[in-house]
Amino acid sequence: MIDKLEMFMALAREGHFGRAAAAHGVTQPTLSSAIRALEESLGVQLVLRGARYQGLTPEGQRVLDHARRIVGEARLMQEEMRDARRGVAGHLRIGVIPTALPRIARLTAPYLARNPAARVSLLSRSSAEIRHGLAAQELDAGVTYLGGADPGRFEEIALWTERYRLVEPGTTAEPLTWAEAATRPLCLLTPEMQNRQLIDAHLAEAGAEAAARVESNSTIALLSHLATGDWAAILAEALCEGFALPPGCVAHPLEAPVAAHPVGLVVVQRALHTPSLRALIAQAHRLSER
């Protein structure tokens, strides 16, 4: 039953029988047979079918909610039993906002050092993608901005504070105002990224507006434009600390207003977590208390 529920979850996630089968490591006929067997055992139609997958029935959506909970409990039991024999040895999927990637080793490096058999996959995701991935059990944890939607649904542990710098060609890094930053030839992250939304809000607070001629969802693309010597970018402080700035560039602290936003570990609120996730949460608390 658990295997059938996992295949059903894969189909709901992928929205395509072939992709869901590949994601689960089975053939498409095997996945289709498993879905039909699940429907027969429950006595309801779960999937709308035509020439191709057309979505879930209302009953299918309810079963999906139960499936996520049941599969989550089964994974917890499996990891509990495995770790009872070997210690913490699970695999955690952690979504990380791009601006937190330069600092993520502050959390994961000591976690892995304490738990030599553990593994992590670090996946660059937007803040919205992280919370969706947690709810859908596609991620085990996220490092993102705190204070998002559904505060009662998630457990949050502050790790550090995100501040901002104006990076541009220059020789001295004197403080600048946000209004002054808006006059530069800016390249910025794309508008759907929460970092960009925060930057736009601080510019508006200063009575300014960003007229970015270059936008990207990749900080690497922004750094490549900075390297030409013709552009400026408003970047999270962690990016300025964690990577060498392009030659000839300086990072100005931004003030008026002084902007700061908490970033931390986010997990789904549950009575009991897997041993691996409990160990990561414990490491997050140690980092938070410094």
PDB file of all heavy atoms in Angstrom, residues 115-149:
ATOM      1  N   ASN A 115      27.394  13.817  12.302  1.00  0.00           N
ATOM      2  CA  ASN A 115      26.666  12.631  11.841  1.00  0.00           C
ATOM      3  C   ASN A 115      27.315  12.109  10.556  1.00  0.00           C
ATOM      4  O   ASN A 115      26.826  12.374   9.450  1.00  0.00           O
ATOM      5  CB  ASN A 115      25.193  12.983  11.595  1.00  0.00           C
ATOM      6  CG  ASN A 115      24.539  13.579  12.829  1.00  0.00           C
ATOM      7  OD1 ASN A 115      24.225  12.881  13.781  1.00  0.00           O
ATOM      8  ND2 ASN A 115      24.349  14.896  12.817  1.00  0.00           N
ATOM      9  N   PRO A 116      28.414  11.371  10.672  1.00  0.00           N
ATOM     10  CA  PRO A 116      29.202  10.994   9.492  1.00  0.00           C
ATOM     11  C   PRO A 116      28.455  10.156   8.466  1.00  0.00           C
ATOM     12  O   PRO A 116      28.849  10.137   7.289  1.00  0.00           O
ATOM     13  CB  PRO A 116      30.366  10.200  10.106  1.00  0.00           C
ATOM     14  CG  PRO A 116      30.456  10.661  11.520  1.00  0.00           C
ATOM     15  CD  PRO A 116      29.055  10.959  11.926  1.00  0.00           C
ATOM     16  N   ALA A 117      27.400   9.453   8.863  1.00  0.00           N
ATOM     17  CA  ALA A 117      26.660   8.623   7.908  1.00  0.00           C
ATOM     18  C   ALA A 117      25.513   9.373   7.235  1.00  0.00           C
ATOM     19  O   ALA A 117      24.844   8.825   6.361  1.00  0.00           O
ATOM     20  CB  ALA A 117      26.117   7.375   8.604  1.00  0.00           C
ATOM     21  N   ALA A 118      25.280  10.622   7.628  1.00  0.00           N
ATOM     22  CA  ALA A 118      24.173  11.399   7.060  1.00  0.00           C
ATOM     23  C   ALA A 118      24.561  12.006   5.722  1.00  0.00           C
ATOM     24  O   ALA A 118      25.741  12.180   5.412  1.00  0.00           O
ATOM     25  CB  ALA A 118      23.765  12.501   8.031  1.00  0.00           C
ATOM     26  N   ARG A 119      23.537  12.339   4.911  1.00  0.00           N
ATOM     27  CA  ARG A 119      23.748  12.989   3.615  1.00  0.00           C
ATOM     28  C   ARG A 119      22.738  14.117   3.465  1.00  0.00           C
ATOM     29  O   ARG A 119      21.639  14.061   4.019  1.00  0.00           O
ATOM     30  CB  ARG A 119      23.549  12.008   2.458  1.00  0.00           C
ATOM     31  CG  ARG A 119      24.552  10.875   2.399  1.00  0.00           C
ATOM     32  CD  ARG A 119      24.364  10.039   1.132  1.00  0.00           C
ATOM     33  NE  ARG A 119      23.038   9.441   1.083  1.00  0.00           N
ATOM     34  CZ  ARG A 119      22.175   9.580   0.071  1.00  0.00           C
ATOM     35  NH1 ARG A 119      22.482  10.339  -0.969  1.00  0.00           N
ATOM     36  NH2 ARG A 119      21.004   8.977   0.093  1.00  0.00           N
ATOM     37  N   VAL A 120      23.110  15.139   2.696  1.00  0.00           N
ATOM     38  CA  VAL A 120      22.179  16.225   2.400  1.00  0.00           C
ATOM     39  C   VAL A 120      22.224  16.537   0.907  1.00  0.00           C
ATOM     40  O   VAL A 120      23.276  16.421   0.273  1.00  0.00           O
ATOM     41  CB  VAL A 120      22.494  17.513   3.198  1.00  0.00           C
ATOM     42  CG1 VAL A 120      22.355  17.271   4.693  1.00  0.00           C
ATOM     43  CG2 VAL A 120      23.872  18.047   2.867  1.00  0.00           C
ATOM     44  N   SER A 121      21.084  16.919   0.366  1.00  0.00           N
ATOM     45  CA  SER A 121      20.994  17.497  -0.976  1.00  0.00           C
ATOM     46  C   SER A 121      20.536  18.937  -0.806  1.00  0.00           C
ATOM     47  O   SER A 121      19.458  19.183  -0.236  1.00  0.00           O
ATOM     48  CB  SER A 121      19.983  16.730  -1.844  1.00  0.00           C
ATOM     49  OG  SER A 121      20.452  15.430  -2.140  1.00  0.00           O
ATOM     50  N   LEU A 122      21.342  19.879  -1.279  1.00  0.00           N
ATOM     51  CA  LEU A 122      21.024  21.304  -1.167  1.00  0.00           C
ATOM     52  C   LEU A 122      20.483  21.781  -2.507  1.00  0.00           C
ATOM     53  O   LEU A 122      21.181  21.714  -3.521  1.00  0.00           O
ATOM     54  CB  LEU A 122      22.274  22.088  -0.764  1.00  0.00           C
ATOM     55  CG  LEU A 122      22.903  21.667   0.566  1.00  0.00           C
ATOM     56  CD1 LEU A 122      24.209  22.405   0.797  1.00  0.00           C
ATOM     57  CD2 LEU A 122      21.930  21.900   1.716  1.00  0.00           C
ATOM     58  N   LEU A 123      19.258  22.269  -2.496  1.00  0.00           N
ATOM     59  CA  LEU A 123      18.548  22.618  -3.725  1.00  0.00           C
ATOM     60  C   LEU A 123      18.198  24.096  -3.706  1.00  0.00           C
ATOM     61  O   LEU A 123      17.512  24.561  -2.788  1.00  0.00           O
ATOM     62  CB  LEU A 123      17.276  21.771  -3.844  1.00  0.00           C
ATOM     63  CG  LEU A 123      17.495  20.255  -3.690  1.00  0.00           C
ATOM     64  CD1 LEU A 123      16.170  19.538  -3.520  1.00  0.00           C
ATOM     65  CD2 LEU A 123      18.254  19.712  -4.887  1.00  0.00           C
ATOM     66  N   SER A 124      18.650  24.837  -4.700  1.00  0.00           N
ATOM     67  CA  SER A 124      18.343  26.257  -4.783  1.00  0.00           C
ATOM     68  C   SER A 124      16.871  26.428  -5.154  1.00  0.00           C
ATOM     69  O   SER A 124      16.419  25.953  -6.198  1.00  0.00           O
ATOM     70  CB  SER A 124      19.236  26.925  -5.835  1.00  0.00           C
ATOM     71  OG  SER A 124      18.937  28.305  -5.924  1.00  0.00           O
ATOM     72  N   ARG A 125      16.121  27.124  -4.301  1.00  0.00           N
ATOM     73  CA  ARG A 125      14.684  27.309  -4.501  1.00  0.00           C
ATOM     74  C   ARG A 125      14.284  28.705  -4.040  1.00  0.00           C
ATOM     75  O   ARG A 125      14.917  29.286  -3.160  1.00  0.00           O
ATOM     76  CB  ARG A 125      13.874  26.279  -3.697  1.00  0.00           C
ATOM     77  CG  ARG A 125      14.095  24.822  -4.082  1.00  0.00           C
ATOM     78  CD  ARG A 125      13.434  24.502  -5.405  1.00  0.00           C
ATOM     79  NE  ARG A 125      13.481  23.085  -5.706  1.00  0.00           N
ATOM     80  CZ  ARG A 125      14.459  22.492  -6.390  1.00  0.00           C
ATOM     81  NH1 ARG A 125      15.470  23.223  -6.827  1.00  0.00           N
ATOM     82  NH2 ARG A 125      14.429  21.204  -6.644  1.00  0.00           N
ATOM     83  N   SER A 126      13.197  29.222  -4.601  1.00  0.00           N
ATOM     84  CA  SER A 126      12.627  30.466  -4.095  1.00  0.00           C
ATOM     85  C   SER A 126      11.925  30.185  -2.774  1.00  0.00           C
ATOM     86  O   SER A 126      11.644  29.033  -2.434  1.00  0.00           O
ATOM     87  CB  SER A 126      11.625  31.047  -5.098  1.00  0.00           C
ATOM     88  OG  SER A 126      10.461  30.238  -5.155  1.00  0.00           O
ATOM     89  N   SER A 127      11.625  31.237  -2.021  1.00  0.00           N
ATOM     90  CA  SER A 127      10.957  31.055  -0.731  1.00  0.00           C
ATOM     91  C   SER A 127       9.594  30.387  -0.905  1.00  0.00           C
ATOM     92  O   SER A 127       9.214  29.521  -0.108  1.00  0.00           O
ATOM     93  CB  SER A 127      10.810  32.396  -0.015  1.00  0.00           C
ATOM     94  OG  SER A 127      10.140  33.329  -0.842  1.00  0.00           O
ATOM     95  N   ALA A 128       8.856  30.754  -1.955  1.00  0.00           N
ATOM     96  CA  ALA A 128       7.549  30.133  -2.200  1.00  0.00           C
ATOM     97  C   ALA A 128       7.712  28.666  -2.552  1.00  0.00           C
ATOM     98  O   ALA A 128       6.931  27.808  -2.100  1.00  0.00           O
ATOM     99  CB  ALA A 128       6.817  30.876  -3.317  1.00  0.00           C
ATOM    100  N   GLU A 129       8.708  28.338  -3.361  1.00  0.00           N
ATOM    101  CA  GLU A 129       8.949  26.940  -3.734  1.00  0.00           C
ATOM    102  C   GLU A 129       9.335  26.106  -2.517  1.00  0.00           C
ATOM    103  O   GLU A 129       8.954  24.929  -2.423  1.00  0.00           O
ATOM    104  CB  GLU A 129      10.047  26.863  -4.785  1.00  0.00           C
ATOM    105  CG  GLU A 129       9.628  27.371  -6.158  1.00  0.00           C
ATOM    106  CD  GLU A 129      10.789  27.502  -7.126  1.00  0.00           C
ATOM    107  OE1 GLU A 129      11.956  27.598  -6.671  1.00  0.00           O
ATOM    108  OE2 GLU A 129      10.533  27.519  -8.346  1.00  0.00           O
ATOM    109  N   ILE A 130      10.067  26.697  -1.592  1.00  0.00           N
ATOM    110  CA  ILE A 130      10.462  25.959  -0.396  1.00  0.00           C
ATOM    111  C   ILE A 130       9.244  25.596   0.439  1.00  0.00           C
ATOM    112  O   ILE A 130       9.068  24.440   0.849  1.00  0.00           O
ATOM    113  CB  ILE A 130      11.465  26.782   0.432  1.00  0.00           C
ATOM    114  CG1 ILE A 130      12.825  26.801  -0.275  1.00  0.00           C
ATOM    115  CG2 ILE A 130      11.613  26.217   1.847  1.00  0.00           C
ATOM    116  CD1 ILE A 130      13.840  27.736   0.341  1.00  0.00           C
ATOM    117  N   ARG A 131       8.369  26.545   0.696  1.00  0.00           N
ATOM    118  CA  ARG A 131       7.202  26.253   1.534  1.00  0.00           C
ATOM    119  C   ARG A 131       6.252  25.284   0.839  1.00  0.00           C
ATOM    120  O   ARG A 131       5.656  24.421   1.485  1.00  0.00           O
ATOM    121  CB  ARG A 131       6.507  27.549   1.941  1.00  0.00           C
ATOM    122  CG  ARG A 131       7.382  28.369   2.902  1.00  0.00           C
ATOM    123  CD  ARG A 131       6.740  29.654   3.379  1.00  0.00           C
ATOM    124  NE  ARG A 131       7.671  30.432   4.184  1.00  0.00           N
ATOM    125  CZ  ARG A 131       7.818  30.325   5.497  1.00  0.00           C
ATOM    126  NH1 ARG A 131       7.065  29.476   6.171  1.00  0.00           N
ATOM    127  NH2 ARG A 131       8.702  31.065   6.138  1.00  0.00           N
ATOM    128  N   HIS A 132       6.127  25.391  -0.487  1.00  0.00           N
ATOM    129  CA  HIS A 132       5.312  24.426  -1.216  1.00  0.00           C
ATOM    130  C   HIS A 132       5.954  23.043  -1.149  1.00  0.00           C
ATOM    131  O   HIS A 132       5.266  22.030  -0.938  1.00  0.00           O
ATOM    132  CB  HIS A 132       5.157  24.861  -2.676  1.00  0.00           C
ATOM    133  CG  HIS A 132       4.480  23.827  -3.533  1.00  0.00           C
ATOM    134  ND1 HIS A 132       3.112  23.635  -3.527  1.00  0.00           N
ATOM    135  CD2 HIS A 132       4.991  22.908  -4.418  1.00  0.00           C
ATOM    136  CE1 HIS A 132       2.805  22.645  -4.357  1.00  0.00           C
ATOM    137  NE2 HIS A 132       3.922  22.197  -4.904  1.00  0.00           N
ATOM    138  N   GLY A 133       7.266  22.974  -1.336  1.00  0.00           N
ATOM    139  CA  GLY A 133       7.964  21.691  -1.292  1.00  0.00           C
ATOM    140  C   GLY A 133       7.876  21.025   0.067  1.00  0.00           C
ATOM    141  O   GLY A 133       7.762  19.800   0.163  1.00  0.00           O
ATOM    142  N   LEU A 134       7.909  21.814   1.133  1.00  0.00           N
ATOM    143  CA  LEU A 134       7.751  21.253   2.469  1.00  0.00           C
ATOM    144  C   LEU A 134       6.353  20.678   2.651  1.00  0.00           C
ATOM    145  O   LEU A 134       6.190  19.564   3.167  1.00  0.00           O
ATOM    146  CB  LEU A 134       8.012  22.337   3.516  1.00  0.00           C
ATOM    147  CG  LEU A 134       9.459  22.796   3.686  1.00  0.00           C
ATOM    148  CD1 LEU A 134       9.516  24.037   4.579  1.00  0.00           C
ATOM    149  CD2 LEU A 134      10.331  21.691   4.251  1.00  0.00           C
ATOM    150  N   ALA A 135       5.346  21.422   2.226  1.00  0.00           N
ATOM    151  CA  ALA A 135       3.965  20.971   2.380  1.00  0.00           C
ATOM    152  C   ALA A 135       3.702  19.701   1.577  1.00  0.00           C
ATOM    153  O   ALA A 135       2.925  18.836   2.005  1.00  0.00           O
ATOM    154  CB  ALA A 135       3.003  22.079   1.972  1.00  0.00           C
ATOM    155  N   ALA A 136       4.342  19.576   0.412  1.00  0.00           N
ATOM    156  CA  ALA A 136       4.142  18.416  -0.462  1.00  0.00           C
ATOM    157  C   ALA A 136       5.101  17.273  -0.149  1.00  0.00           C
ATOM    158  O   ALA A 136       5.112  16.273  -0.850  1.00  0.00           O
ATOM    159  CB  ALA A 136       4.304  18.833  -1.917  1.00  0.00           C
ATOM    160  N   GLN A 137       5.922  17.417   0.889  1.00  0.00           N
ATOM    161  CA  GLN A 137       6.922  16.427   1.286  1.00  0.00           C
ATOM    162  C   GLN A 137       7.966  16.176   0.201  1.00  0.00           C
ATOM    163  O   GLN A 137       8.571  15.107   0.133  1.00  0.00           O
ATOM    164  CB  GLN A 137       6.260  15.102   1.698  1.00  0.00           C
ATOM    165  CG  GLN A 137       5.428  15.219   2.956  1.00  0.00           C
ATOM    166  CD  GLN A 137       4.998  13.876   3.510  1.00  0.00           C
ATOM    167  OE1 GLN A 137       5.666  12.864   3.325  1.00  0.00           O
ATOM    168  NE2 GLN A 137       3.877  13.858   4.186  1.00  0.00           N
ATOM    169  N   GLU A 138       8.185  17.159  -0.650  1.00  0.00           N
ATOM    170  CA  GLU A 138       9.251  17.066  -1.639  1.00  0.00           C
ATOM    171  C   GLU A 138      10.567  17.580  -1.043  1.00  0.00           C
ATOM    172  O   GLU A 138      11.645  17.322  -1.595  1.00  0.00           O
ATOM    173  CB  GLU A 138       8.882  17.876  -2.878  1.00  0.00           C
ATOM    174  CG  GLU A 138       7.657  17.324  -3.602  1.00  0.00           C
ATOM    175  CD  GLU A 138       7.076  18.299  -4.619  1.00  0.00           C
ATOM    176  OE1 GLU A 138       7.742  19.327  -4.889  1.00  0.00           O
ATOM    177  OE2 GLU A 138       5.974  18.046  -5.121  1.00  0.00           O
ATOM    178  N   LEU A 139      10.478  18.327   0.059  1.00  0.00           N
ATOM    179  CA  LEU A 139      11.634  18.803   0.806  1.00  0.00           C
ATOM    180  C   LEU A 139      11.456  18.414   2.264  1.00  0.00           C
ATOM    181  O   LEU A 139      10.334  18.355   2.779  1.00  0.00           O
ATOM    182  CB  LEU A 139      11.768  20.327   0.704  1.00  0.00           C
ATOM    183  CG  LEU A 139      12.047  20.933  -0.670  1.00  0.00           C
ATOM    184  CD1 LEU A 139      11.966  22.452  -0.589  1.00  0.00           C
ATOM    185  CD2 LEU A 139      13.401  20.490  -1.203  1.00  0.00           C
ATOM    186  N   ASP A 140      12.569  18.159   2.930  1.00  0.00           N
ATOM    187  CA  ASP A 140      12.525  17.856   4.366  1.00  0.00           C
ATOM    188  C   ASP A 140      12.693  19.109   5.210  1.00  0.00           C
ATOM    189  O   ASP A 140      12.203  19.167   6.339  1.00  0.00           O
ATOM    190  CB  ASP A 140      13.633  16.857   4.711  1.00  0.00           C
ATOM    191  CG  ASP A 140      13.512  15.568   3.920  1.00  0.00           C
ATOM    192  OD1 ASP A 140      12.499  14.868   4.095  1.00  0.00           O
ATOM    193  OD2 ASP A 140      14.410  15.277   3.109  1.00  0.00           O
ATOM    194  N   ALA A 141      13.402  20.096   4.680  1.00  0.00           N
ATOM    195  CA  ALA A 141      13.658  21.334   5.413  1.00  0.00           C
ATOM    196  C   ALA A 141      13.961  22.433   4.410  1.00  0.00           C
ATOM    197  O   ALA A 141      14.242  22.169   3.239  1.00  0.00           O
ATOM    198  CB  ALA A 141      14.828  21.155   6.382  1.00  0.00           C
ATOM    199  N   GLY A 142      13.886  23.665   4.878  1.00  0.00           N
ATOM    200  CA  GLY A 142      14.219  24.801   4.024  1.00  0.00           C
ATOM    201  C   GLY A 142      14.981  25.842   4.816  1.00  0.00           C
ATOM    202  O   GLY A 142      14.826  25.946   6.042  1.00  0.00           O
ATOM    203  N   VAL A 143      15.817  26.586   4.131  1.00  0.00           N
ATOM    204  CA  VAL A 143      16.463  27.766   4.721  1.00  0.00           C
ATOM    205  C   VAL A 143      15.991  28.951   3.906  1.00  0.00           C
ATOM    206  O   VAL A 143      16.312  29.080   2.717  1.00  0.00           O
ATOM    207  CB  VAL A 143      18.001  27.634   4.716  1.00  0.00           C
ATOM    208  CG1 VAL A 143      18.639  28.939   5.199  1.00  0.00           C
ATOM    209  CG2 VAL A 143      18.431  26.472   5.599  1.00  0.00           C
ATOM    210  N   THR A 144      15.190  29.798   4.535  1.00  0.00           N
ATOM    211  CA  THR A 144      14.493  30.852   3.807  1.00  0.00           C
ATOM    212  C   THR A 144      14.167  31.999   4.750  1.00  0.00           C
ATOM    213  O   THR A 144      14.531  31.981   5.927  1.00  0.00           O
ATOM    214  CB  THR A 144      13.220  30.277   3.159  1.00  0.00           C
ATOM    215  OG1 THR A 144      12.578  31.302   2.371  1.00  0.00           O
ATOM    216  CG2 THR A 144      12.230  29.788   4.193  1.00  0.00           C
ATOM    217  N   TYR A 145      13.473  33.002   4.211  1.00  0.00           N
ATOM    218  CA  TYR A 145      13.028  34.122   5.042  1.00  0.00           C
ATOM    219  C   TYR A 145      11.974  33.631   6.034  1.00  0.00           C
ATOM    220  O   TYR A 145      11.127  32.796   5.703  1.00  0.00           O
ATOM    221  CB  TYR A 145      12.435  35.226   4.169  1.00  0.00           C
ATOM    222  CG  TYR A 145      13.421  35.816   3.192  1.00  0.00           C
ATOM    223  CD1 TYR A 145      13.384  35.464   1.844  1.00  0.00           C
ATOM    224  CD2 TYR A 145      14.404  36.713   3.604  1.00  0.00           C
ATOM    225  CE1 TYR A 145      14.292  35.992   0.933  1.00  0.00           C
ATOM    226  CE2 TYR A 145      15.310  37.251   2.710  1.00  0.00           C
ATOM    227  CZ  TYR A 145      15.253  36.881   1.377  1.00  0.00           C
ATOM    228  OH  TYR A 145      16.159  37.397   0.491  1.00  0.00           O
ATOM    229  N   LEU A 146      12.018  34.156   7.232  1.00  0.00           N
ATOM    230  CA  LEU A 146      11.085  33.754   8.273  1.00  0.00           C
ATOM    231  C   LEU A 146       9.862  34.664   8.265  1.00  0.00           C
ATOM    232  O   LEU A 146       9.871  35.749   7.711  1.00  0.00           O
ATOM    233  CB  LEU A 146      11.778  33.786   9.635  1.00  0.00           C
ATOM    234  CG  LEU A 146      13.024  32.905   9.766  1.00  0.00           C
ATOM    235  CD1 LEU A 146      13.521  32.897  11.211  1.00  0.00           C
ATOM    236  CD2 LEU A 146      12.761  31.484   9.281  1.00  0.00           C
ATOM    237  N   GLY A 147       8.817  34.171   8.926  1.00  0.00           N
ATOM    238  CA  GLY A 147       7.605  34.966   9.050  1.00  0.00           C
ATOM    239  C   GLY A 147       6.718  34.913   7.825  1.00  0.00           C
ATOM    240  O   GLY A 147       6.015  35.871   7.528  1.00  0.00           O
ATOM    241  N   GLY A 148       6.732  33.795   7.102  1.00  0.00           N
ATOM    242  CA  GLY A 148       5.908  33.674   5.896  1.00  0.00           C
ATOM    243  C   GLY A 148       4.470  33.306   6.225  1.00  0.00           C
ATOM    244  O   GLY A 148       4.010  33.417   7.373  1.00  0.00           O
ATOM    245  N   ALA A 149       3.772  32.829   5.196  1.00  0.00           N
ATOM    246  CA  ALA A 149       2.362  32.454   5.353  1.00  0.00           C
ATOM    247  C   ALA A 149       2.237  31.203   6.228  1.00  0.00           C
ATOM    248  O   ALA A 149       3.180  30.427   6.385  1.00  0.00           O
ATOM    249  CB  ALA A 149       1.737  32.211   3.981  1.00  0.00           C
TER     250      ALA A 149
END
